[in-house]
Amino acid sequence: MQAVKISNHVYWVGAIDWNIRDFHGYSTKRGTTYNAYLVMGEKPTLIDTVKKEFYGEMMERIASVIDPKKIEIIISNHSELDHAGALPQTVAAVEPKEVYVSAMGLKDLTGHFHKNLNFKIVKTGDKIDVGGDTISFIEARMLHWPDSMFSYLEKENILFSNDVFGMHYATSKLFDDENDERIWLTEAEKYYANIVLPYSDIVLRLLEQVKKMELSPKMIAPDHGFIWRKDPTRIVQLYTQWATQAPTNKAVIVYDTMWGSTEQMARQIADGLRTGGTEVKMLSMHANDRSKVALELLNASALLLGSPVLNSQIFPAMADVICYLKGLRKKGLIGAAFGSYGWNGAPVDSLTKTLEEMGVEIVAPAVKSPFVPDEAIKKTCFELGQQVSQKLTEKIK
Ligand code: FEO
């Protein structure tokens, strides 16, 4: 397997994972890549490795450029195992003079591998000489792990940004300008919604910090998806937009149904929203997965949760998606709950409590239907949709 030259002295030596469909709970319908980069200065330097299973592929690509034993420096920007899984094997094979990590990176890697790792700790502002060029480090704590950091190749103006600015998208085309925007825009947005969203405040602070450092990368090289070379500012602008979470006139209805009653309620609410001028996405957990829900919620400002009651609990698929959404900490939402039940409506009320715990502003008490909704309940649902729509319209004024 061959490396791909991406600039004067830098090669892509990563791996393409065409077949992964579940990345720790994130549905990766288009697979992913694990990007690693070889900087061919006088001191050959490897930036990140790959998932353990792809160690052989990475080493073959490196060997197409240089004897791997000649690598003098390894930088680990992030300790998660899709980038560091092959690190111990690579260090053992290459025997580099130095391995650089952040302080938290060393802690995490020690936790992963239970070895005494003789790695050097770097922090924001530290620089290393790679022979003919310099790499400086910028810690990117909590984007999306405490250890995450960026490396910046100064003369070539390449920002190696690890997970940030990436996407889960297996593609043989290594650059932004070679890929179809109609596909990648959704994948980039989905990645932000599922991985980066909880840390949006940190994104905005980091982008401000990078701006003050007056870096103007001619390339941004993340560890997933492709490399931004045509217009690296594009993904930075998108991150700014997604992190800002400005109010929109869009609502998502996330629900499940047992015998169709909760779905009838959802459809009435959706129609109330629609007639109020709000864009609405109905997301049945029979037909959608949690990653799709996260994607649709990213640019929405209202969340409505609906569930039937089963054995005095909300439906299991709803419990799953709620657990996931709580972790994503989407801001600025309004919402309400609804659902049908047979003889115990309390679980539907618990959805309102859940929304409150998520920081959602409650528009109205839960609408509950004993068994199949009658005309009065359907009307209440329709009016709930209208009420939410009106609130959204006021918010975006
Ligand atoms: Fe791509 Fe946080 O690992």
Side-chain angles (χ1 to χ4, degrees), residues 31-267:
T32 195
T33 68
Y34 313 109
N35 299 334
Y37 300 97
L38 181 64
V39 181
M40 286 298 295
E42 287 147 30
K43 301 177 185 176
T45 299
L46 179 65
I47 300 179
D48 288 326
T49 67
V50 293
K51 202 173 175 184
K52 189 169 66 177
E53 294 87 326
F54 294 89
Y55 166 78
E57 183 169 337
M58 178 191 73
M59 289 303 264
E60 268 190 46
R61 292 193 201 279
I62 293 171
S64 73
V65 180
I66 185 181
D67 174 358
K69 286 261 184 207
K70 291 196 170 146
I71 291 174
E72 292 192 20
I73 297 168
I74 296 180
I75 294 167
S76 173
N77 277 331
H78 180 28
S79 60
E80 195 164 6
L81 292 171
D82 49 331
H83 311 295
L87 185 63
Q89 225 177 333
T90 309
V91 170
V94 166
E95 297 178 328
K97 289 182 181 159
E98 310 287 359
V99 180
Y100 292 97
V101 294
S102 67
M104 286 306 292
L106 183 60
K107 187 167 174 255
D108 294 357
L109 290 168
T110 306
H112 287 327
F113 303 121
H114 305 289
K115 281 182 181 167
N116 186 17
L117 302 168
N118 188 23
F119 296 168
K120 285 203 165 162
I121 290 173
V122 286
K123 59 184 184 314
T124 297
D126 287 351
K127 294 174 188 280
I128 59 166
D129 171 26
V130 292
D133 209 333
T134 299
I135 288 179
S136 54
F137 298 100
I138 305 161
E139 287 170 89
R141 291 182 198 170
M142 294 317 298
L143 291 181
H144 65 124
W145 275 22
D147 69 299
S148 304
M149 67 175 187
F150 297 169
S151 302
Y152 192 72
L153 186 63
E154 294 190 348
K155 277 192 191 158
E156 295 226 36
N157 279 319
I158 301 177
L159 180 69
F160 299 96
S161 60
N162 198 264
D163 281 333
V164 180
F165 306 130
M167 68 188 79
H168 286 313
Y169 178 29
T171 171
S172 62
K173 296 169 181 171
L174 213 56
F175 297 101
D176 50 354
D177 48 283
E178 298 173 328
N179 283 280
D180 186 340
E181 179 166 339
R182 287 168 301 181
I183 295 171
W184 72 246
L185 189 54
T186 302
E187 292 305 329
E189 198 171 0
K190 184 177 174 187
Y191 185 91
Y192 188 94
N194 282 275
I195 305 278
V196 189
L197 177 59
Y199 314 108
S200 290
D201 289 345
I202 299 170
V203 168
L204 293 174
R205 282 203 296 274
L206 185 77
L207 292 180
E208 201 51 43
Q209 185 191 344
V210 170
K211 205 165 144 192
K212 280 189 189 144
M213 293 167 90
E214 296 183 341
L215 302 182
S216 50
K218 74 167 195 211
M219 262 185 213
I220 294 179
D223 275 7
H224 296 293
F226 53 68
I227 296 158
W228 305 91
R229 73 171 173 191
K230 185 184 171 206
D231 182 11
T233 61
R234 181 78 195 284
I235 189 65
V236 175
Q237 285 162 358
L238 287 168
Y239 263 53
T240 307
Q241 177 195 320
W242 294 330
T244 303
Q245 299 182 55
T248 63
N249 197 0
K250 176 182 170 185
V252 295
I253 303 174
V254 182
Y255 71 99
D256 209 336
T257 200
M258 199 165 157
W259 292 106
S261 296
T262 303
E263 176 149 302
Q264 281 190 50
M265 298 172 82
R267 294 179 77 83

Side-chain angles (χ1 to χ4, degrees), residues 229-370:
R229 73 171 173 191
K230 185 184 171 206
D231 182 11
T233 61
R234 181 78 195 284
I235 189 65
V236 175
Q237 285 162 358
L238 287 168
Y239 263 53
T240 307
Q241 177 195 320
W242 294 330
T244 303
Q245 299 182 55
T248 63
N249 197 0
K250 176 182 170 185
V252 295
I253 303 174
V254 182
Y255 71 99
D256 209 336
T257 200
M258 199 165 157
W259 292 106
S261 296
T262 303
E263 176 149 302
Q264 281 190 50
M265 298 172 82
R267 294 179 77 83
Q268 291 292 337
I269 295 168
D271 215 45
L273 283 158
R274 188 189 59 78
T275 55
T278 295
E279 179 192 354
V280 58
K281 286 281 161 86
M282 276 187 49
L283 298 165
S284 154
M285 294 318 296
H286 267 60
N288 295 280
D289 58 46
R290 58 180 98 89
S291 311
K292 167 75 171 167
V293 173
L295 169 64
E296 292 295 347
L297 192 61
L298 177 62
N299 65 356
S301 290
L303 172 63
L304 294 112
L305 296 177
S307 180
V309 175
L310 178 69
N311 297 330
S312 298
Q313 304 292 328
I314 60 166
F315 234 45
M318 287 306 296
D320 178 305
V321 73
I322 285 167
C323 173
Y324 193 71
L325 294 181
K326 270 187 178 174
L328 296 179
R329 305 200 295 270
K330 171 78 171 101
K331 287 186 178 166
L333 292 170
I334 62 171
F338 63 98
S340 61
Y341 65 98
W343 48 95
N344 177 8
V348 180
D349 288 315
S350 78
L351 289 176
T352 303
K353 193 161 177 290
T354 300
L355 286 166
E356 283 171 346
E357 287 165 4
M358 292 168 71
V360 177
E361 181 191 332
I362 303 300
V363 174
V367 183
K368 294 184 285 182
S369 174

